[in-house]
Amino acid sequence: MLALQKTHDGEGLELRDVPRPPAPGPGEIALKIAATGICGTDLGIQKWNPGYAAMMNPALPVTLGHETVGRVTALGEGVQAFAIGDAVVVNPAIACGECAACVEGDAVGCLDRRPFGMVLDGAFAGAVNVDARYAYHLPDHVPLELGALVEPLSVGLHALNVAGYNPGDRVVVFGPGPIGQGVAVLAKQMGSQVAVVGFRDAVRFDTLRELGIEQLFDASEEGAMDRLKALAGRGFDLAVEAAGVGSVVDQALAVLRPKGVLSLAGMGEPNAAVNIGLVVRNRLEIRGASRIPPAVWPEVIKLLAADPQAFAPLISHRMKLADAQEAFALAKSGQSSKILLIPEE
Ligand SMILES: [Zn+2]
Ligand SMILES: [Zn+2]
């Protein structure tokens, strides 16, 4: 079968013909992949940004793809929670089960994770076996391809939860890419007024309008930040940084209410300057959002199932797995939202 793989230490990805997976082992389910989204992480692995080599080199060659949905085609020994034909999504954060954190029962804090699509073979392929403990049912009425959004939406919901989100809170999102769009639509679906700040992101703003997000601010425009401040009034309850841009941190802090929280979900530039006086005076908090607790998955699936069409505009392109290189170039261009790769076999 065709698979998109990282094959060697260095830049690049390869489409390769690889053997189909064997029959699922004990506790595993076999999936026929329906669709898999391209993530910023996949772009980072293609470019081979610092940090990936240490974790991934021992696993190469490995099939990428961790934002996936598929149907169960076979059950390994002992699997009772699934039946053949079920639509499922996969939580890629596979814990090792052996490290000090795992032994203490903190699988989310695993010190030696084996992420699906980075260390374990992922879903940019026609089929894959996964540990059934990391699979979740997608309700039948949800269009199958929307299942590929559950993983990036879980990143978004976690970013809100980390900030102590309460339904109805006033939220500002910095960064209108797929993660920021997910945060915005989730908060909207939970009753929030949401503003989104971008930087020359016309195409992504169009998607946000389709998602029903009207308060859009282009930071490259004169006076945009003043208009955001005016909208904020006494301040937003929370902000999410999903741009990975250092200068955004101070912009976000400046529009929070006293005791407001900034949740950092983006990783790009390593450092940011912070107005310490503002943080101290307004008792602001900055929190990092990674390591998604498993409980977030059912929450996301519930929100998606309640109104699937509200999330549909997040998918901007569907392309063949065979056209993966072209799809990755499009994902890098910023002229897309979520791009799905569809295997043909
Ligand atoms: Zn991802
Ligand atoms: Zn572990």
Side-chain angles (χ1 to χ4, degrees):
M1 64 176 183
L2 193 64
L4 183 66
Q5 292 198 320
K6 185 83 193 176
T7 57
H8 62 273
D9 187 359
E11 198 174 331
L13 296 176
E14 279 178 51
L15 273 168
R16 299 175 80 208
D17 192 28
V18 303
R20 298 187 73 80
E28 289 185 338
I29 53 178
L31 294 184
K32 180 183 194 304
I33 301 301
T36 304
I38 298 175
C39 173
T41 300
D42 299 315
L43 300 179
I45 294 168
Q46 182 189 41
K47 205 173 157 208
W48 212 226
N49 288 341
Y52 292 114
M55 181 198 271
M56 292 182 65
N57 271 343
L60 302 182
V62 68
T63 301
L64 302 194
H66 60 268
E67 302 183 354
T68 196
V69 59
R71 285 196 188 275
V72 177
T73 56
L75 304 172
E77 196 190 314
V79 175
Q80 287 175 346
F82 296 95
I84 296 199
D86 283 355
V88 302
V89 298
V90 179
N91 174 355
I94 314 278
C96 76
E98 292 161 7
C99 70
C102 282
V103 169
E104 283 169 18
D106 177 22
V108 173
C110 175
L111 306 169
D112 186 23
R113 293 204 296 178
R114 288 154 196 187
F116 172 78
M118 283 177 75
V119 170
L120 301 176
D121 277 334
F124 286 141
V128 71
N129 294 339
V130 300
D131 184 330
R133 292 173 300 175
Y134 291 85
Y136 295 84
H137 281 105
L138 187 72
D140 284 337
H141 73 275
V142 178
L144 195 56
E145 67 171 15
L146 296 183
L149 297 173
V150 174
E151 196 274 347
L153 287 171
S154 75
V155 176
L157 186 57
H158 183 51
L160 288 167
N161 288 345
V162 159
Y165 177 81
N166 287 305
D169 276 352
R170 297 180 70 208
V171 175
V172 58
V173 182
F174 289 80
I179 294 297
Q181 290 174 358
V183 172
V185 68
L186 286 163
K188 175 175 170 283
Q189 291 300 101
M190 292 187 283
S192 285
Q193 281 184 32
V194 184
V196 179
V197 182
F199 193 89
R200 298 192 180 114
D201 289 296
V203 173
R204 289 174 161 176
F205 276 13
D206 286 345
T207 301
L208 283 158
R209 284 186 201 98
E210 276 180 67
L211 290 163
I213 311 292
E214 304 291 344
Q215 302 288 355
L216 303 172
F217 297 84
D218 182 343
S220 75
E221 282 173 13
E222 178 101 29
M225 289 299 103
D226 292 334
R227 290 199 299 280
L228 178 67
K229 255 185 193 147
L231 176 75
R234 62 182 284 272
F236 290 96
D237 296 301
L238 64 96
V240 174
E241 202 293 317
V245 176
S247 59
V248 162
V249 170
D250 239 12
Q251 289 174 354
L253 293 172
V255 293
L256 286 175
R257 66 161 165 79
K259 291 187 164 179
V261 182
L262 168 60
S263 175
L264 298 182
M267 283 197 288
E269 296 169 3
N271 294 302
V274 169
N275 181 338
I276 293 169
L278 184 71
V279 172
V280 174
R281 275 195 310 277
N282 282 355
R283 292 145 287 151
L284 304 175
E285 289 183 57
I286 302 175
R287 300 181 191 163
S290 77
R291 299 281 175 143
I292 303 158
V296 171
W297 285 73
E299 277 183 69
V300 167
I301 292 168
K302 200 169 148 194
L303 286 162
L304 181 63
D307 188 359
Q309 287 316 311
F311 295 86
L314 288 169
I315 298 171
S316 64
H317 296 79
R318 298 152 190 85
M319 298 172 75
K320 291 178 193 164
L321 178 59
D323 296 330
Q325 303 288 8
E326 197 186 329
F328 269 63
L330 177 62
K332 244 178 287 180
S333 74
Q335 303 298 304
S336 61
S337 292
K338 190 54 70 182
I339 301 171
L340 300 184
L341 289 180
I342 317 287
E344 288 178 283
E345 46 183 331

